[in-house]
Amino acid sequence: MKSKQTSFDIAYRAGVSQSTVSRALRNSPLVNEETRRRVQEIAAELNYKVDKNASSLRTQQSGTIALLLFEDPTNDDSLINPFFLSMLGSITRASAKKGYDLLVSFQQMSNDWHADFEDTRKADGIILLGYGDYTDYEEKLVQLIKQETHFVRWGADVKGLSVVSVGCDNFHGGYQVTEHVINKNRKNFAFLGGVTTGSPEFLDRYKGHCQALKDNNLAVDSKLQIDAVSTDESGYLAAKQLLENGVTFDAICAASDLIAIGAMRAVQEAGYNIPKDIAVVGFDDIATASSTFPAMTTAKQDTVLAGELLVDKLLQLVRGEEAQTQLMPTTLVVRKSCGS
Amino acid sequence: MKSKQTSFDIAYRAGVSQSTVSRALRNSPLVNEETRRRVQEIAAELNYKVDKNASSLRTQQSGTIALLLFEDPTNDDSLINPFFLSMLGSITRASAKKGYDLLVSFQQMSNDWHADFEDTRKADGIILLGYGDYTDYEEKLVQLIKQETHFVRWGADVKGLSVVSVGCDNFHGGYQVTEHVINKNRKNFAFLGGVTTGSPEFLDRYKGHCQALKDNNLAVDSKLQIDAVSTDESGYLAAKQLLENGVTFDAICAASDLIAIGAMRAVQEAGYNIPKDIAVVGFDDIATASSTFPAMTTAKQDTVLAGELLVDKLLQLVRGEEAQTQLMPTTLVVRKSCGS
DNA sequence: ATTGCGCATGCATACGTATGTATTTTTTAT
DNA sequence: ATAAAAAATACATACGTATGCATGCGCAAT
């Protein structure tokens, strides 16, 4: 049980050649039924496991996909955005379901990324996950395309590049939650989330938000839009700034649940009641959203479906098939933070 | 830029042999300074990347560690316990820091696990993560030991087995939070968390809890201990059951933050004020804990340190060195849920 | 009986790297 | 100038698997 068993060892015990062992274990129709059974029995008995390095070297396929997770640069070293963490979980599950192992790698967006898992043959393809909100991003994508790397990404469609993306309809989601709050008879809306500097995702949500306001003859007041990145601390600060502005408002649409959570804290500390005085909606439906007080109404992104789509499309590309960019709808999850 | 470059291609262009290329790229002192520079230049120019499969096959080292994440069987398919998710993040970071890639794999505890990453040479060692609360567990560990697999695990020390564990001092943590609440002049303590059926971690926390009560001449009432697994739903149900018991209490110690979150919801729905009527403490300090209302006082497990310790110790084992089981202290994080 | 065919198996090789050993080139000492 | 030592490079091989090709065997058709 100690030293490693090879297919030659199995071959010896079974009295056949190594090639027959290899074929038998892979259920090749070329080997006799009886022989196959005997070989597989012996292999199991000796606890033989195929050496994936040798196998991958020979077949040029690793049976592994790599997940590159880009961090919010603002997050401190130890935390991961819970939304992406949840995506990570669903991607892990989805790839396991397809029989692929998952290599997870955190990346600093700013630095050069270490996207050479496919070049090094450690992975057959790559999933990119994170807010694509920095300048070099497209350049990097172009490079990946040029190298003919198989990859898919989470996020909004990238115009002009033949890149397969899976993302949520952020515009629609932003519209959806805003409309919901409008129906609660709120008139003065604030929006917390980086619009000029931030991610394209946030911008789309803001556009949807504004469209909903316009469609309902409500004003868009730029004083009521405050930049924030996706942390509760940032949301807290943004809401504080908003409160100090002196402009009145009775609803906050946050670009993410984390921002909303921070905002709720700031608003409550200022003595306002949620939802009576101020309604709050988030975006994402992270786990925490159901545990805030009051529980948060938000636009849910279906991370389970997203993970499956990402993996499926990536594997299509790996197999040399075509794959299409896909936009998923968001679902309005009504809880308590906007009134009943 | 299309077809894959090998070290032979580099060798050809540099006018040297393949072995010299290999040595040059690995900065072997056997190659001339000037030659090394030239080879590395050409390699960079051609965007050459070492084939890790071939390299691993040759060296018998994968440069990868595998993380086996065992799920709470109670969790639905799509969710991961946020505490373990956080551990996952820190382990990913810690292994990256050591230059290792991380293979992540979710496992159903009930089934046979797929712990053959080392057998298949896909990983040099394995980290086991999850509550070790089911019957076959030790048996599996014994098997891993017998196969001489390099592995470390998160959790309490396993008596009688030479297994390297990294865990928190759950007894002390349970003691610590309970003592804190005792100092807030609470007298009647409930404990929510599986004790008879649950994980050894929960049991240790309960023991610490009870010890703190005894040391302060407070009664341990078994009617005030309700089993719960680590989900907020389970915590919610447990707290409801507790409330219906009719036994009075003014403090709840939960075996985990998730349980505490559910309990808080139940308590608040029943019309009680936290912390005025009932104090609540959790365990773990997951991200959500700071965002509950009121913010939760809890015993923090240092996931960053834990991740680093797990990776460090595993790599020690991989290198053939000795490694010791280590218990980390918990830190009391005082917020609002027990009063000020 | 010879040929031909299908089936099962063995043989040989390639995947790309890392490294022990042999060989060549350069330097140093005499 | 020559031998010896040192340095740099080339040669050869092994890691363990998967697979194209060749081989051998039994059986049916001619």
Side-chain angles (χ1 to χ4, degrees):
Chain A
M1 202 59 97
K2 243 176 167 172
S3 75
K4 184 171 176 194
Q5 305 284 348
T6 74
S7 51
F8 283 98
D9 298 321
I10 313 291
Y12 177 76
R13 309 241 180 164
V16 296
S17 72
Q18 181 268 331
S19 43
T20 299
V21 170
S22 176
R23 291 195 175 99
L25 294 177
R26 298 174 55 77
N27 289 319
S28 160
L30 289 178
V31 314
N32 181 283
E33 184 62 35
E34 155 64 17
T35 311
R36 178 207 323 262
R37 223 175 29 79
R38 190 156 42 91
V39 167
Q40 292 188 342
E41 242 166 44
I42 294 176
E45 195 179 323
L46 296 187
N47 194 31
Y48 167 79
K49 298 282 160 53
V50 171
D51 183 320
K52 296 276 189 179
N53 289 320
S55 175
S56 297
L57 175 60
R58 176 63 227 247
T59 62
Q60 303 289 39
Q61 299 207 329
S62 64
T64 303
I65 61 190
L67 174 62
L68 264 54
L69 198 46
F70 297 94
E71 317 170 25
D72 257 323
T74 48
N75 263 355
D76 97 44
D77 222 35
S78 60
L79 296 174
I80 313 171
N81 183 314
F83 172 73
F84 289 124
L85 218 40
S86 159
M87 287 288 294
L88 187 158
S90 72
I91 289 171
T92 307
R93 275 225 179 56
S95 54
K97 207 186 285 181
K98 295 288 181 178
Y100 275 71
D101 293 321
L102 188 73
L103 214 42
V104 174
S105 174
F106 282 50
Q107 305 282 328
Q108 307 286 0
M109 289 215 269
S110 41
N111 302 350
D112 280 342
W113 357 310
H114 168 59
D116 50 8
F117 286 109
E118 183 166 350
D119 297 330
T120 65
R121 304 279 165 173
K122 265 203 158 183
D124 299 332
I126 296 178
I127 297 178
L128 303 179
L129 187 58
Y131 290 127
D133 59 345
Y134 65 109
T135 42
D136 282 354
Y137 190 68
E138 282 208 17
E139 189 181 314
K140 295 281 174 56
L141 293 185
V142 170
Q143 194 185 332
L144 285 180
I145 295 171
K146 205 175 65 186
Q147 292 176 5
E148 303 188 4
T149 300
H150 302 111
F151 74 101
V152 297
R153 55 182 291 280
W154 168 257
D157 196 17
V158 182
K159 67 231 159 283
L161 288 183
S162 65
V163 167
V164 176
S165 305
V166 173
C168 264
D169 191 336
N170 289 298
F171 179 89
H172 176 252
Y175 193 101
Q176 196 173 28
V177 289
T178 305
E179 194 175 40
H180 173 75
V181 184
I182 291 173
N183 291 337
K184 299 291 174 187
N185 280 320
R186 308 291 165 142
K187 302 292 180 197
N188 303 297
F189 283 73
F191 185 92
L192 304 185
V195 166
T196 51
T197 64
S199 61
E201 285 82 1
F202 282 13
L203 179 57
D204 283 347
R205 292 171 197 176
Y206 182 60
K207 283 180 180 165
H209 168 76
C210 293
Q211 190 63 47
L213 292 180
K214 282 177 199 153
D215 287 355
N216 288 275
N217 298 314
L218 292 174
V220 174
D221 184 348
S222 67
K223 281 210 199 66
L224 287 173
Q225 184 272 317
I226 311 278
D227 279 356
V229 296
S230 202
T231 66
D232 60 347
E233 195 54 27
S234 180
Y236 179 80
L237 294 174
K240 272 206 120 142
Q241 188 184 331
L242 186 65
L243 289 163
E244 285 162 7
N245 267 0
V247 191
T248 57
F249 59 93
D250 53 10
I252 294 178
C253 294
S256 78
D257 284 350
L258 280 181
I259 294 176
I261 286 169
M264 283 174 66
R265 189 152 53 89
V267 166
Q268 286 170 333
E269 280 182 9
Y272 294 100
N273 179 280
I274 300 173
K276 200 160 74 70
D277 304 324
I278 298 176
V280 177
V281 289
F283 205 110
D284 287 345
D285 193 31
I286 61 176
T288 306
S290 62
S291 301
T292 56
F293 185 80
M296 193 185 303
T297 291
T298 189
K300 175 190 173 89
Q301 307 201 62
D302 188 341
T303 56
V304 173
L305 177 60
E308 285 175 356
L309 286 175
L310 283 166
V311 170
D312 285 354
K313 286 173 189 297
L314 178 60
L315 292 183
Q316 283 171 26
L317 292 178
V318 168
R319 286 192 301 264
E321 302 167 16
E322 293 282 318
Q324 301 301 323
T325 284
Q326 187 165 341
L327 223 54
M328 306 188 312
T330 55
T331 317
L332 183 66
V333 178
V334 178
R335 297 202 180 90
K336 306 287 179 70
S337 63
C338 299
S340 52
Chain B
M1 201 58 96
K2 244 175 165 172
S3 74
K4 182 163 182 200
Q5 305 283 350
T6 74
S7 50
F8 283 97
D9 298 322
I10 313 293
Y12 177 76
R13 309 241 180 166
V16 296
S17 71
Q18 181 268 333
S19 46
T20 299
V21 170
S22 176
R23 291 198 172 95
L25 293 177
R26 299 174 55 76
N27 289 318
S28 159
L30 289 179
V31 314
N32 182 284
E33 183 63 33
E34 154 65 15
T35 311
R36 177 205 325 262
R37 222 174 32 77
R38 190 156 42 91
V39 167
Q40 292 188 343
E41 242 167 43
I42 294 175
E45 196 178 323
L46 295 187
N47 195 31
Y48 167 79
K49 298 282 160 55
V50 171
D51 184 319
K52 296 275 190 177
N53 289 320
S55 174
S56 297
L57 175 59
R58 175 64 226 246
T59 61
Q60 304 288 38
Q61 299 206 330
S62 63
T64 303
I65 62 191
L67 175 61
L68 264 54
L69 198 46
F70 297 95
E71 317 170 25
D72 257 323
T74 48
N75 264 357
D76 97 46
D77 224 34
S78 60
L79 295 174
I80 314 171
N81 182 313
F83 172 72
F84 290 123
L85 218 41
S86 158
M87 287 288 293
L88 188 157
S90 72
I91 289 171
T92 307
R93 277 223 178 57
S95 53
K97 206 186 285 180
K98 294 289 180 176
Y100 276 72
D101 292 321
L102 188 72
L103 212 44
V104 175
S105 174
F106 282 51
Q107 306 283 327
Q108 306 287 0
M109 290 215 268
S110 42
N111 301 351
D112 280 343
W113 357 310
H114 168 59
D116 51 8
F117 286 109
E118 183 166 349
D119 297 330
T120 65
R121 304 279 164 172
K122 264 203 158 184
D124 299 332
I126 296 178
I127 297 177
L128 303 179
L129 188 57
Y131 290 129
D133 60 345
Y134 67 110
T135 41
D136 282 354
Y137 190 68
E138 281 208 18
E139 190 180 313
K140 296 280 175 53
L141 294 185
V142 169
Q143 195 186 333
L144 285 180
I145 295 171
K146 204 175 67 186
Q147 290 175 8
E148 303 189 2
T149 300
H150 301 109
F151 75 100
V152 297
R153 56 182 289 282
W154 168 256
D157 195 18
V158 181
K159 66 232 158 285
L161 288 183
S162 65
V163 168
V164 175
S165 305
V166 172
C168 263
D169 191 336
N170 289 299
F171 180 89
H172 177 251
Y175 193 101
Q176 196 174 29
V177 288
T178 305
E179 194 175 40
H180 173 75
V181 184
I182 291 173
N183 291 337
K184 299 292 175 187
N185 280 319
R186 307 291 165 141
K187 303 292 180 196
N188 303 297
F189 283 74
F191 184 92
L192 303 185
V195 166
T196 52
T197 64
S199 61
E201 286 82 1
F202 282 13
L203 180 57
D204 283 346
R205 292 171 197 177
Y206 183 61
K207 283 181 181 165
H209 169 76
C210 294
Q211 190 63 48
L213 292 181
K214 284 178 198 151
D215 287 355
N216 288 274
N217 299 315
L218 292 174
V220 176
D221 185 348
S222 65
K223 280 211 201 66
L224 288 173
Q225 183 272 317
I226 312 277
D227 279 356
V229 297
S230 202
T231 66
D232 59 347
E233 195 54 26
S234 179
Y236 179 81
L237 294 174
K240 272 204 121 146
Q241 189 183 330
L242 186 66
L243 290 163
E244 285 162 8
N245 267 359
V247 191
T248 56
F249 59 92
D250 53 10
I252 293 178
C253 294
S256 78
D257 285 350
L258 281 181
I259 293 176
I261 286 169
M264 283 173 66
R265 189 152 52 90
V267 165
Q268 286 170 335
E269 281 182 8
Y272 294 100
N273 178 280
I274 300 173
K276 200 160 74 67
D277 304 325
I278 297 175
V280 176
V281 289
F283 205 109
D284 286 344
D285 194 31
I286 61 177
T288 307
S290 61
S291 301
T292 56
F293 183 80
M296 192 185 303
T297 291
T298 190
K300 175 192 173 87
Q301 305 201 61
D302 188 339
T303 56
V304 173
L305 177 60
E308 285 176 354
L309 286 175
L310 283 166
V311 170
D312 286 353
K313 286 173 190 296
L314 178 60
L315 292 183
Q316 283 170 25
L317 292 178
V318 168
R319 286 191 300 263
E321 303 167 15
E322 292 283 317
Q324 302 301 323
T325 284
Q326 187 167 340
L327 223 54
M328 305 188 313
T330 56
T331 316
L332 184 66
V333 178
V334 178
R335 296 202 180 90
K336 304 286 178 70
S337 63
C338 299
S340 53

